[in-house]
Amino acid sequence: MTVDSNPSLDISIAYMFTDNFSLELLTDISSKHTASVFGLPSALNVPDGTDVVDTNVLPPTLFAQYHFNPKGKVKPYAGLGLNYTLFFNDDLTPAAVSALGASNLDLDSSFGLAGQLGVDFELKNNWSFNVDVKYIQMDTEATFDSALGPVSVDIDINPIIFGIGFGKTF
């Protein structure tokens, strides 16, 4: 299965334990995503690319970050983290219901690894401008009943997320 791309609003909060080490909790206010299916058995007679699942995701991610130049005006950092993804408001699309006779959708929540590279640019009055790129492992299994019996499909989302933002140091 493939999943469409959607813009979203990320909210994060970080705590600096030392000048170089911090923890950042990232959460995302997500819009609905649609998963399309590829490679189903030919007996199901469903064309590749058919939209079958609509879902929202809540993917909070905790990053441990290392800041390479904490006293400079340009502050690059790298982070490694753990993600938990909760899938909710799951629905089978009308195409899945009509083409597959699909019903009883279930999406598993998932845990995955995450990585991050970013740069903070110091502004005035303890404000900063931030750019970063994140990779977050989000994998689930969709199971549903079909006219030919139970179907189980892996959904690998694994987004690469480009972010821009502003921060305030207290």
Side-chain angles (χ1 to χ4, degrees):
M1 280 194 163
T2 62
V3 179
D4 64 345
S5 296
N6 278 331
S8 65
L9 175 64
D10 290 342
I11 299 172
S12 66
I13 187 165
Y15 183 80
M16 297 294 297
F17 287 93
T18 69
D19 286 345
N20 296 96
F21 179 73
S22 68
L23 287 178
E24 177 186 23
L25 178 62
L26 169 75
T27 190
D28 180 83
I29 300 170
S30 175
S31 55
K32 195 164 268 274
H33 294 276
T34 300
S36 306
V37 71
F38 292 85
L40 282 179
S42 59
L44 292 174
N45 197 27
V46 176
D48 281 349
T50 298
D51 294 343
V52 293
V53 173
D54 288 326
T55 187
N56 287 82
V57 296
L58 177 63
T61 306
L62 183 64
F63 288 101
Q65 298 174 330
Y66 185 81
H67 298 259
F68 296 99
N69 185 25
K71 301 292 185 193
K73 292 193 179 291
V74 176
K75 304 172 185 178
Y77 62 90
L80 291 175
L82 182 63
N83 167 265
Y84 171 77
T85 302
L86 172 68
F87 295 88
F88 64 100
N89 290 338
D90 311 325
D91 294 308
L92 290 159
T93 65
V97 173
S98 65
L100 295 167
S103 62
N104 300 323
L105 174 65
D106 181 47
L107 288 176
D108 296 333
S109 297
S110 75
F111 283 96
L113 298 177
Q116 173 186 50
L117 294 172
V119 180
D120 288 326
F121 299 93
E122 185 177 301
L123 302 173
K124 294 182 179 181
N125 299 321
N126 294 327
W127 283 93
S128 62
F129 176 72
N130 172 267
V131 294
D132 72 353
V133 61
K134 297 177 273 297
Y135 169 82
I136 301 176
Q137 200 175 41
M138 294 180 200
D139 303 325
T140 189
E141 183 177 67
T143 56
F144 52 88
D145 295 330
S146 76
L148 297 177
V151 174
S152 178
V153 181
D154 289 330
I155 301 175
D156 299 328
I157 301 171
N158 304 332
I160 294 176
I161 302 164
F162 297 95
I164 59 171
F166 291 93
K168 174 77 170 161
T169 303
F170 298 96

